Amino acid sequence: RLNLAQQFALASLVVIVASMTVVGWWIDREIESGVTRRTGVTTALYVSSFVAPHVQELAREGHLSERSVAVLQGLLRDTPLGERIVSLKVWGPDARIVYASEPSLIGKVFPPTQGLETAWSGNVATEFSQLGEEEDVLERKIGVPLLETYSPVYETGGKRIIAVVEFYELASDLNRQLSEARLRTWLVVAVATLFIFGLLFGIVRQGSRTIVSQRSELQKRVED
């Protein structure tokens, strides 16, 4: 009982909306991945430049001296670094924490996470943390969005990775920017979807009207 234009409208609406939803979701994920990774890598270079000089003894020993621990603790107090980083951990090669903002974690061994393994392979890993790991005791108490980053620390003058620094960065502003980017993305997708649907429907409706007109004319001639 539906004419050609109505049939097309129903069928194309489902297909176009489903397709544009997939495209919008993919763009959304790419934006989040790109922004978080760029932010994480940039901050990782910044943090590593502060941390690396004070953990070089790990190239020779399996632990940090009291002096190095005191220096690392001072990095997060009354410094520009401490304004951005709320928690810091340094991991040894045996998945043991050799330094942590939460002193009770120092010396403990935890199952290596994917981010930790990625850092040991020489790459920076960053993501919005779900704070579901056993060692995330301090971070869960903060109660705000955090960007978790793992960054390799190299031996001075060499290419050997001697430690991995894990840090948590306040991500409220980043989360807000991503929300605004998502909103703009979905608005563009919605407008594009309506434009494509309207354009195609207009073409088909014109064709449908022509067919209906011709059919009516043919029916009239048959009756004559």
Side-chain angles (χ1 to χ4, degrees):
R1 297 180 180 180
L2 301 178
N3 60 35
L4 180 61
Q6 293 169 335
Q7 293 177 39
F8 173 81
L10 290 176
S12 63
L13 184 61
V14 174
V15 174
I16 292 177
V17 169
S19 300
M20 297 305 283
T21 299
V22 172
V23 171
W25 176 84
W26 180 80
I27 295 175
D28 189 338
R29 298 295 299 175
E30 287 297 305
I31 290 175
E32 179 177 339
S33 176
V35 171
T36 54
R37 176 164 179 78
R38 183 171 63 251
T39 302
V41 170
T42 302
T43 310
L45 292 174
Y46 179 65
V47 173
S48 295
S49 66
F50 281 90
V51 174
H54 308 295
V55 299
Q56 290 301 312
E57 57 197 289
L58 292 176
R60 304 176 300 276
E61 304 176 11
H63 62 278
L64 295 176
S65 64
E66 293 183 1
R67 178 179 178 278
S68 296
V69 170
V71 171
L72 291 175
Q73 288 175 340
L75 289 177
L76 298 183
R77 291 199 305 263
D78 303 325
T79 64
L81 180 64
E83 294 176 359
R84 300 181 58 180
I85 306 303
V86 297
S87 178
L88 183 72
K89 301 185 185 80
V90 178
W91 295 81
D94 53 355
R96 182 170 56 87
I97 296 178
V98 296
Y99 170 78
S101 301
E102 177 60 48
S104 62
L105 296 176
I106 297 178
K108 292 186 177 181
V109 177
F110 296 95
T113 62
Q114 183 177 356
L116 184 60
E117 293 177 347
T118 299
W120 279 114
S121 68
N123 299 305
V124 175
T126 185
E127 65 176 357
F128 278 99
S129 179
Q130 302 300 319
L131 303 180
E133 303 297 333
E134 185 180 353
E135 71 272 15
D136 295 337
V137 178
L138 176 62
E139 294 79 12
R140 279 192 289 268
K141 297 178 182 178
I142 298 175
V144 297
L146 297 176
L147 191 66
E148 179 184 22
T149 302
Y150 292 86
S151 177
V153 177
Y154 292 88
E155 182 179 9
T156 300
K159 297 183 178 180
R160 183 164 69 101
I161 299 175
I162 60 174
V164 168
V165 57
E166 175 192 4
F167 59 89
Y168 292 82
E169 180 181 2
L170 292 173
S172 298
D173 290 341
L174 178 61
N175 200 29
R176 177 179 52 79
Q177 294 172 7
L178 285 174
S179 297
E180 294 174 353
R182 289 190 185 101
L183 178 60
R184 291 192 297 268
T185 297
W186 284 107
L187 284 176
V188 171
V189 170
V191 171
T193 300
L194 292 174
F195 176 77
I196 293 172
F197 176 76
L199 180 63
L200 294 177
F201 179 74
I203 295 173
V204 175
R205 183 176 61 176
Q206 184 63 35
S208 178
R209 287 176 175 176
T210 300
I211 292 173
V212 170
S213 176
Q214 292 176 344
R215 183 177 297 169
S216 177
E217 182 66 25
L218 287 174
Q219 183 65 30
K220 183 179 178 181
R221 291 187 180 186
V222 170
E223 290 175 353
D224 291 343

